[in-house]
Amino acid sequence: MTTFEPLVFSGIQPTGNLHLGNYLGALARFVPLQDAFNCVYCVVDLHAITVAQDPVELTGAIREVTAAYLAAGIDPRAHIVFNQSQVHAHAEMGWLLNCVARMGWLNRMTQFKEKAGKDKENASVGLFTYPTLMAADILVYRATHVPVGEDQKQHLELTRDIAAKFNNDYAARIDGLGFGTEYLPQPEPLIQGPATRIMSLRDGSKKMSKSDPSDYSRINLIDDADTIALKIRKAKTDPEGLPGELKGLEGRPEADNLVGIYAALADRTKQSVLDEFGGQQFSAFKPALADLAVEKLAPIAGEMRRLKADPGYIDAVLADGAGRAAAIADPVVATMKEILGLLSTRR
Ligand code: AMP
Ligand code: TRP
């Protein structure tokens, strides 16, 4: 078994409004990992163009996700923050892995089915091969840990399958070049805690999403305090009060979701939230939740607004990050080519 240097990689698409699901499922969990790992956090703009984008809005959204990374507390000097399209190695590795992944594997991806909808013939080819680009993002850094929300689990499994197939198909060559038994790691998904799948505030059976037509379905990271409070007040619930035990949340997706959001924001377990609020009505719980959400999100929103007013600074952070990302990724692509027999010089 080859041992790999521990490295965290994750990415967020610059598409539309960042919301509480992105924050609790991803961003907030990226921050503490900085203490234990070297981290690479990417704005995955090449993924964004798998569906139609307005170019002007896309540029703004790339800067906005970058601002969110920084505002949430990611340190771009100690770690790496960059946008995918500025590092050529992602597209190149994406091609190499397109030739490893099998049609049958991609045909099983549920996110493609959801995003392509009924008109599959009209979806971009990029949307179909999106998961191999995601595998490339991770494997081009030979990253070992990937914090994501629950919806990305299947893509991480595919990434592991692609790495295993590559290692297996080229095992003799990898060994011959002195890399031991494997060149690519099996990255581990980090999907933990009470907030891996935050649901819509209007419908507990749908996940909170950037693309939901109702703005009341989500709390956006840039919402002001009044908007956050209003959206929580209007959030769908059932007529019962809060239970004292987790079992009492079963079959009550909206109640479960709000308790999960409280727990994640307060960094507590759902049971400890029920210990405090069990037996109370939502009319009492919702204001407490709104206060907590405002307390946690308002400083991030404020910092995002401040950073967005200085696009020059954001662009400089991205350019610096891209240079440092390429310094890791380019030699990996060169070695991949050498393993494949593509007559490249390993640097
Ligand atoms: P995306 O906006 O699709 O690029 O997602 C960025 C990150 O946020 C990924 O790690 C997703 O798994 C995570 N995420 C998106 N929506 C949710 C949600 N409703 N609950 C939890 N995590 C989410
Ligand atoms: N597919 C992820 C999403 O939609 C975004 C993403 C792209 C990603 N590349 C990645 C996440 C690499 C983790 C690692 O949310």
Side-chain angles (χ1 to χ4, degrees):
M1 272 278 284
T2 312
T3 45
F4 293 88
E5 188 93 356
L7 183 84
V8 164
F9 182 95
S10 197
I12 297 182
Q13 295 192 64
T15 47
N17 300 317
L18 281 173
H19 53 72
L20 188 65
N22 297 128
Y23 178 67
L24 293 175
L27 263 179
R29 297 177 40 242
F30 295 175
V31 176
L33 289 168
Q34 296 180 110
D35 298 332
F37 292 91
N38 286 320
C39 300
V40 180
Y41 292 128
C42 184
V43 183
V44 288
D45 48 10
L46 296 176
H47 279 96
I49 60 168
T50 56
V51 297
Q53 298 295 341
D54 175 285
V56 174
E57 282 177 22
L58 179 60
T59 308
I62 293 167
R63 294 196 178 112
E64 177 157 317
V65 174
T66 310
Y69 278 148
L70 305 182
I74 289 159
D75 178 348
R77 283 170 296 275
H79 301 274
I80 296 180
V81 173
F82 74 107
N83 65 309
Q84 192 183 23
S85 63
Q86 289 205 65
V87 177
H88 307 303
H90 287 253
E92 221 173 337
M93 184 74 161
W95 179 259
L96 301 181
L97 299 186
N98 267 340
C99 300
V100 176
R102 307 287 93 184
M103 289 291 287
W105 299 358
L106 288 178
N107 273 329
R108 285 197 289 274
M109 295 293 114
T110 54
Q111 186 169 305
F112 174 76
K113 291 177 199 160
E114 279 161 27
K115 284 202 178 178
K118 287 202 179 69
D119 195 6
K120 270 215 298 228
E121 292 293 306
N122 202 30
S124 73
V125 177
L127 188 66
F128 184 69
T129 63
Y130 175 117
T132 58
L133 181 60
M134 175 162 166
D137 298 339
I138 298 164
L139 296 174
V140 84
Y141 299 91
R142 303 210 291 163
T144 54
H145 295 80
V146 184
V148 279
E150 176 71 33
D151 59 348
Q152 297 303 311
K153 194 169 174 213
Q154 196 184 34
H155 290 161
L156 259 300
E157 279 158 11
L158 179 86
T159 302
R160 294 166 64 92
D161 289 345
I162 291 174
K165 180 165 168 54
F166 180 81
N167 290 335
N168 188 57
D169 288 356
Y170 295 95
R173 182 88 176 172
I174 291 168
D175 190 31
L177 290 170
F179 289 103
T181 52
E182 336 173 272
Y183 182 63
L184 298 176
Q186 293 274 301
E188 214 182 290
L190 301 176
I191 306 174
Q192 292 138 354
T196 56
R197 192 171 167 81
I198 300 292
M199 308 311 279
S200 157
L201 298 180
R202 307 302 289 165
D203 177 351
S205 68
K206 285 201 304 197
K207 78 173 180 182
M208 187 177 285
S209 143
K210 290 168 177 170
S211 56
D212 194 311
S214 167
D215 202 49
Y216 281 96
S217 70
R218 65 182 158 258
I219 292 174
N220 302 307
L221 274 192
I222 46 150
D223 283 345
D224 61 29
D226 289 346
T227 309
I228 292 175
L230 179 67
K231 286 178 175 176
I232 290 177
R233 202 158 62 238
K234 285 188 173 284
K236 190 176 164 201
T237 45
D238 55 43
E240 285 167 57
L242 286 150
E245 301 293 332
L246 286 176
K247 240 183 135 20
L249 291 172
E250 279 170 18
R252 299 176 63 193
E254 286 87 10
D256 187 31
N257 190 41
L258 294 183
V259 171
I261 291 172
Y262 192 105
L265 284 169
D267 206 9
R268 286 165 55 179
T269 62
K270 288 203 265 187
Q271 183 57 56
S272 110
V273 176
L274 295 181
D275 290 343
E276 182 180 346
F277 291 98
Q280 297 192 30
Q281 295 302 309
F282 278 100
S283 53
F285 178 66
K286 280 178 166 182
L289 177 58
D291 285 349
L292 178 65
V294 169
E295 179 196 321
K296 297 285 175 183
L297 301 180
I300 297 172
E303 182 62 4
M304 278 175 73
R305 279 190 207 99
R306 194 186 70 76
L307 287 164
K308 274 175 69 182
D310 190 357
Y313 171 72
I314 295 206
D315 293 2
V317 166
L318 291 175
D320 173 66
R324 290 189 291 128
I328 303 174
D330 288 351
V332 173
V333 170
T335 302
M336 288 288 292
K337 288 183 183 170
E338 193 173 359
I339 292 168
L340 289 160
L342 291 172
L343 208 64
S344 115
T345 351
R346 199 186 337 152
R347 277 158 283 176

